[in-house]
Amino acid sequence: MASNGCRHSLSIHAIVSLVLMLLAAAATCLPASAANSPKQSNKPSLKTVQSPDGDIIDCVPSHLQPAFDHPKLKGLKPLEPPMRPQGRKAKSMAGGITQLWRASGETCPQGTVPIRRTTEEEALRVRKYERKLVEGAGESPSTNHEYAIGTVEDENLYYGAEATYNVWAPAVANNGEFSLSQFWLTSGTYATNLNTIEAGWQVLYGNSYPRFFIYWTADGYQNTGCYDLECAGFVQTNNDIVVGGSINPTSTYDGQQSEMKLLVWKDHKDGNWWLEWDSTVVGYWPSSLFSHLANNATSVQFGGEIVNNGPSGVHTATQMGSGYFPEEGYRRAAYTRNLQVVDATNTLFPVQSLSLTAGKPNCYNITKGVNSDWGTHFFFGGPGRSDTSNPRAVMASNGCRPSLPIHAIVSLVLLMLAAAATCLPASAANSPKQSNRPSLKTVQSPDGDIIDCVPSHLQPTFDHPKLKGLKPLVIDTHIQARKSMAGGITELWRASRETCPQGTVPIRRTTEEEALRVRKYERKLLEGAAESPFPNHEYAIGTVKDENLYYGAEATYNVWAPAVANNGEFSLSQFWLTSGTYATNLNTIEAGWQLSKILIYWTADAYKSTGCYNIECAGLVQTDTNIVLGGSINPSSTYNGKQMEVEILDQNDGNWWLDLNSTTVGYWPSSLFSHLADNATTVQFGGSIVNNGPSGVHTATQMGSGYFPEEGFGRAAYIRNLQVVDATNTLVPVQSLNLTAEKPNCYNITKGVNSDWGMSFYFGGPGRSDVCP
C-alpha cells in the first residue's frame, strides 16, 4: 500500500530496480537526483545491457518512458502502428545493419523500450550544439551550420517522407561539432515557430560510431524538442532499436555499402507522425506536440549537415558524408536514394523535382541523378578543410577543396615528358588539347585521321577545374523501355580492325589550324532562343512541344555525306537538349552527325566561352575504347541504295550519358552545367547548315541527303523513332512535334507517325537552286 492509500504505481521488480539505482548513486557519491538526470537516464528498468561501444542500455517499461512525462501525454499508453503508406516496394531495399548493443544477441523484454543512458555532462554538451538550420526558413540562429541538401520544390502538402541512406563514420574535428545525414519534415518559419521532424544518422565529436538519431522542435529550436528520447516527446513502441544507439557496420571506401531506410508518415486517423527503420516501426511523435505540423508538412529536405567550430578564419576539418566529394560516386561518396514523399491519400510518390543547395561547395558539395533503380537520388559530402590526415588531398588556398591527386600529378609529368620528346614547349604540346597527349598506341585511318589511344584518366576532360583528379565513372543503369534499332556502320579508323587497348580512349589528333577553323564556325542557333548571334545558320527542325521536363532523348538517323560549298560552312543532323535562354546562359547538349562524322557538342553559356565539339576541350568524359568522337562514319547512305543508320541516346543519371547504337560512349558531368545540372526543358531534332554564300546568293551547301523530304525513303534524310526520357528514366515516344523550316524553298521538313517508325520526319534540300536563289 502506498502512502496515498491507493495501489502502488510500480511493480515489485521496478521498486527493486529503483532501490538498486539509489544504491548505485550512493556508491558513486552522487545524489539520487543527479543519477536520474537527464530524464531518459536511469529510469526504472527491468534489464540493463552493456554495449561494446561503452553505452549502457536500460530496458524501461514502455509506459514509463520519457514521452509520458509531457503534460499533454501523461497517463496515455503507446498506440499500435497505423496502416503504412501505399505504393511501397514489397521488399525493403536496405538492411544488413544493426546496432552494436545487439552484438551479443541481447534484447529488451516485451513491454519495455531500450533507452541509452547518458550523463548530465553529455546531455548538456549535446543540447548546446543541437540547433539546426532548415534552408530558407527565415532568419537562422545557427550561422556555423553548413549544409549540402536537396529540397522538394513543388508546392504540395506533405504527410511523410522516405529515403535510403548509406551510413558512414566521418571524422569530427572539434568539440561541439557533429556530422549527419538526415531528412527534415517542416512547417512554419523561424518567425512563426518553426516545427520540424528529423531522422537520420549522426557522428558527434568524441564518438567513432555513427548513431541513429531523431529530433523534433515546435518553436524553432528555442525551448521545445530534443534529440532522441532526451525529453518528453517521441513515444517509442519497439524493443529492439535504441534511438541514439551506434550503427554497425558502416560503409567503407571502395568496399561494402551499409544502408538504412527511414520512413516517416502521418496517421490520418490520430494525426501522429510514425517512424520506421527498414521494416521496423520504431514509434511516433504525437500530433499534440506541434502547432503547424499538427496538420501537415509544407517542406521536405534531405541531405547532410555539419557544425563548423574551426578557429576564426580556418574552416573545420570535420567531414560530411564519407569525407569525399560527390564526384567520387558509388562506394566512395555518401548518398541518399529513392527519395519519396507521402501525399494526402497516404500514398508514397517518387520525388520528381529536387532543388540542390551547397552552402560551401568547395568544402561540401551535392550532385543529383535519376534512374530506374535509385529513383531521384544524390551524392553529397566532402572533407571540409583538407590536411595530411586525408592522403587524397592537400591544403588548398581556401582551406577546403583538395588540390591535384597523385594520378593527376603523374599525368602532368607524362605530358611534360611527351612535350620534351617531340621538342615542343609544354604549352604547344597541349594545344589543341586533344592533340599529342601521351598515348599507348597510334592508328592511321584511311581518311588521313591519326587516332591516339590516350590513357582514360589523361583525356582532356580532366583538365577542367571541376573535374581535376576524378576518374571515369561507370553508368549505374541503362534506360528502361529501350530496344536498339540501328547498326551496320562503323568508323573508318576501324577498317583494318585496329582497336585501342583497355584503359585508353581513342582521340582524333587535330592541328591548331584545324581547331581554330572549327571553333570559328561552331556556334549553333536554337529556334526561339531570343536574339540569335548567328543569323547565317539555317534549320529544318522538330521541337517537342509538350511542357514536361526531359532527362534525355533518343532517335535513329540515316547518315549522309552532303556537299558543303564554301569555307566555314557545315551540314549536320542532330538533336539538342537545352535549358535556359541566350539571356540566361543557355545550356545545350547536342549529338548527331556532321559531314558524315560523329558529332557531339555542349555549352553552358550560350556558346560564348564554354563548350566545344567532340573532345576539343575539357567536357565529355569518354569511357569507350572503340568510338572516335569526330571520326568518319562508314559507310554512309546512298541515293536509291542502302540506308546506313546510327541510333543516338542521351540519358541523365545526374551526369548526361551518351550511347551510340548499343555502345556507351561516355558522359557530360552535371557539374559542367547550370540549367542542365537538373534537366532539359526543350528537345529538338533536325538539320542545320551555315550559309556563307556571297551577298544575295544562297549557298549550295546541302542539308541531309541534298534532296527535299518529298523524295521519301531511300532518297531523303530522315530521323525516326523520336523518344524522350522522363523523370523515371523511361523512354517515352514523342507524341507531338512542332516543325520549323526557315527557308522551305531551300530546306524543308515533313513529319509522320506509324507503328514501325514511331514519330519521324524527312528533312533537307539542295540549298541554292531555281527555287532557292
Side-chain angles (χ1 to χ4, degrees):
M1 186 71 68
S3 60
N4 61 9
C6 295
R7 188 178 183 87
H8 206 292
S9 58
L10 295 182
S11 62
I12 295 298
H13 54 249
I15 296 172
V16 172
S17 299
L18 182 59
V19 171
L20 289 173
M21 283 163 38
L22 291 168
L23 291 173
T28 54
C29 303
L30 288 175
S33 60
N36 192 32
S37 181
K39 289 187 177 181
Q40 88 277 20
S41 300
N42 308 327
K43 286 259 181 183
S45 65
L46 304 187
K47 180 180 179 179
T48 296
V49 178
Q50 177 77 52
S51 175
D53 59 355
D55 284 355
I56 297 175
I57 310 301
D58 293 316
C59 300
V60 176
S62 59
H63 66 284
L64 298 181
Q65 63 181 292
F68 296 118
D69 295 340
H70 195 287
K72 293 182 178 179
L73 304 178
K74 279 187 179 295
L76 300 182
K77 294 182 179 180
L79 301 175
E80 291 296 318
M83 180 182 296
R84 292 167 172 80
Q86 304 174 61
R88 307 186 70 208
K89 294 184 181 291
K91 185 178 180 181
S92 174
M93 298 170 291
I97 63 172
T98 183
Q99 292 184 298
L100 275 174
W101 79 286
R102 298 289 306 278
S104 62
E106 292 280 3
T107 61
C108 277
Q110 288 297 318
T112 69
V113 294
I115 300 180
R116 177 178 172 267
R117 191 183 300 181
T118 65
T119 65
E120 182 71 18
E121 178 186 0
E122 182 181 15
L124 289 172
R125 178 178 64 81
V126 170
R127 281 199 289 272
K128 182 178 179 181
Y129 301 106
E130 69 192 3
R131 301 182 185 277
K132 299 183 181 69
L133 162 67
V134 177
E135 186 70 19
E139 292 298 316
S140 166
S142 313
T143 55
N144 62 336
H145 290 230
E146 297 176 15
Y147 300 81
I149 57 174
T151 302
V152 182
E153 60 180 1
D154 53 34
E155 297 180 357
N156 292 319
L157 302 178
Y158 306 103
Y159 297 84
E162 182 181 68
T164 298
Y165 309 74
N166 64 338
V167 181
W168 296 84
V172 177
N174 301 312
N175 188 36
E177 295 185 350
F178 62 66
S179 181
L180 60 77
S181 172
Q182 68 169 63
F183 61 66
W184 295 256
L185 286 160
T186 77
S187 189
T189 65
Y190 281 105
T192 61
N193 278 347
L194 180 71
N195 290 197
T196 80
I197 285 173
E198 310 171 30
W201 60 262
Q202 178 180 46
V203 176
L204 295 163
Y205 176 76
N207 287 262
S208 57
Y209 294 101
R211 296 181 178 275
F212 167 51
F213 84 93
I214 62 173
Y215 193 90
W216 70 277
T217 182
D219 61 356
Y221 308 99
Q222 295 174 36
N223 300 308
T224 65
C226 59
Y227 277 114
D228 307 330
L229 306 182
E230 289 177 11
C231 64
F234 183 83
V235 178
Q236 184 158 346
T237 59
N238 178 264
N239 64 332
D240 290 329
I241 293 174
V242 172
V243 178
S246 298
I247 299 169
N248 183 62
T250 57
S251 301
T252 57
Y253 187 86
D254 269 341
Q256 184 170 347
Q257 302 304 289
S258 295
E259 294 185 332
M260 63 187 295
K261 183 173 73 170
L262 296 178
L263 165 67
V264 169
W265 80 100
K266 187 175 180 65
D267 172 20
H268 287 277
K269 179 182 176 183
D270 296 319
N272 303 316
W273 292 89
W274 286 81
L275 170 67
E276 183 177 273
W277 175 355
D278 290 347
S279 298
T280 301
V281 175
V282 181
Y284 61 93
W285 292 268
S287 63
S288 58
L289 298 175
F290 302 104
S291 53
H292 302 295
L293 278 177
N295 299 316
N296 52 258
T298 56
S299 174
V300 183
Q301 294 178 305
F302 306 83
E305 174 187 1
I306 64 98
V307 168
N308 176 15
N309 286 337
S312 179
V314 179
H315 195 280
T316 182
T318 285
Q319 300 172 340
M320 181 188 291
S322 69
Y324 295 91
F325 285 110
E327 296 90 340
E328 294 269 345
Y330 181 65
R331 296 200 307 165
R332 297 179 176 182
Y335 58 77
T336 305
R337 65 181 179 93
N338 291 98
L339 276 55
Q340 299 191 88
V341 291
V342 181
D343 70 5
T345 67
N346 199 37
T347 302
L348 275 164
F349 280 95
V351 167
Q352 299 295 325
S353 184
L354 196 70
S355 177
L356 302 187
T357 302
K360 292 190 177 177
N362 287 339
C363 303
Y364 317 105
N365 208 359
I366 183 169
T367 62
K368 71 178 178 183
V370 180
N371 63 42
S372 60
D373 291 331
W374 280 27
T376 296
H377 62 274
F378 57 84
F379 290 92
F380 72 98
R385 187 181 74 249
S386 303
D387 57 30
T388 54
S389 68
N390 181 351
R392 295 171 59 84
V394 296
M395 186 72 75
S397 59
N398 63 8
C400 278
R401 191 77 174 187
S403 63
L404 293 177
I406 295 299
H407 66 72
I409 296 171
V410 172
S411 301
L412 186 58
V413 172
L414 287 172
L415 283 170
M416 294 175 68
L417 290 173
T422 55
C423 302
L424 291 173
S427 60
N430 194 29
S431 181
K433 290 187 177 181
Q434 86 276 22
S435 299
N436 306 327
R437 292 207 164 229
S439 63
L440 302 187
K441 180 180 178 180
T442 297
V443 179
Q444 178 77 52
S445 174
D447 60 355
D449 284 353
I450 297 175
I451 311 301
D452 292 315
C453 300
V454 176
S456 59
H457 66 284
L458 299 182
Q459 62 183 293
T461 198
F462 295 121
D463 296 341
H464 194 289
K466 292 182 179 179
L467 305 176
K468 281 186 180 292
L470 301 184
K471 294 179 181 179
L473 301 175
V474 176
I475 192 167
D476 285 335
T477 180
H478 277 84
I479 208 154
Q480 300 182 65
R482 186 178 183 217
K483 182 179 179 181
S484 181
M485 300 169 287
I489 65 170
T490 183
E491 291 185 299
L492 273 174
W493 80 284
R494 299 290 307 281
S496 61
R497 299 190 178 180
E498 291 280 6
T499 61
C500 277
Q502 288 297 314
T504 68
V505 294
I507 299 181
R508 177 177 172 268
R509 191 183 299 181
T510 65
T511 65
E512 182 70 18
E513 177 186 1
E514 181 184 12
L516 289 173
R517 178 179 60 79
V518 170
R519 281 197 288 271
K520 183 177 180 182
Y521 301 106
E522 68 190 3
R523 302 178 184 278
K524 299 184 181 67
L525 164 66
L526 292 168
E527 185 68 23
E531 289 299 314
S532 165
F534 318 129
N536 60 338
H537 289 231
E538 298 176 14
Y539 299 83
I541 56 174
T543 302
V544 183
K545 60 178 186 177
D546 54 33
E547 296 181 357
N548 293 319
L549 302 178
Y550 307 104
Y551 299 84
E554 182 183 66
T556 300
Y557 308 71
N558 65 338
V559 180
W560 295 84
V564 175
N566 301 312
N567 187 36
E569 295 185 348
F570 62 65
S571 181
L572 60 76
S573 172
Q574 67 171 55
F575 61 63
W576 294 257
L577 286 160
T578 76
S579 188
T581 65
Y582 281 105
T584 60
N585 276 349
L586 181 72
N587 290 197
T588 81
I589 286 174
E590 311 170 27
W593 59 260
Q594 177 174 286
L595 304 179
S596 69
K597 292 177 179 285
I598 295 295
L599 149 77
I600 64 169
Y601 192 89
W602 71 277
T603 183
D605 62 355
Y607 309 100
K608 294 172 185 173
S609 58
T610 65
C612 59
Y613 278 116
N614 305 323
I615 322 183
E616 290 176 12
C617 65
L620 183 115
V621 179
Q622 185 159 347
T623 57
D624 180 71
T625 60
N626 294 319
I627 293 174
V628 172
L629 294 168
S632 297
I633 299 170
N634 183 60
S636 56
S637 302
T638 56
Y639 188 83
N640 271 342
K642 190 171 185 180
Q643 301 303 291
M644 306 310 300
E645 294 185 331
V646 58
E647 179 192 66
I648 301 176
L649 164 70
D650 189 53
Q651 69 174 103
N652 185 340
D653 77 338
N655 303 312
W656 291 89
W657 287 85
L658 173 69
D659 269 26
L660 179 64
N661 293 340
S662 297
T663 300
T664 298
V665 180
Y667 60 94
W668 291 271
S670 63
S671 58
L672 297 175
F673 302 102
S674 52
H675 303 296
L676 277 177
D678 300 320
N679 51 257
T681 55
T682 301
V683 183
Q684 293 177 304
F685 306 84
S688 170
I689 64 99
V690 169
N691 176 13
N692 285 338
S695 179
V697 179
H698 196 280
T699 182
T701 286
Q702 300 172 340
M703 181 188 291
S705 68
Y707 293 90
F708 285 111
E710 294 84 352
E711 294 268 347
F713 183 74
R715 298 178 179 183
Y718 58 78
I719 304 179
R720 65 182 180 91
N721 289 101
L722 275 56
Q723 299 189 85
V724 292
V725 182
D726 69 10
T728 67
N729 201 40
T730 301
L731 275 168
V732 178
V734 168
Q735 300 296 324
S736 183
L737 197 69
N738 186 26
L739 302 186
T740 302
E742 296 176 309
K743 294 189 176 179
N745 289 338
C746 304
Y747 316 106
N748 207 356
I749 183 170
T750 62
K751 70 179 176 182
V753 180
N754 62 43
S755 58
D756 290 330
W757 279 27
M759 179 67 72
S760 63
F761 59 83
Y762 289 95
F763 71 99
R768 186 173 69 245
S769 67
D770 292 341
V771 295
C772 176

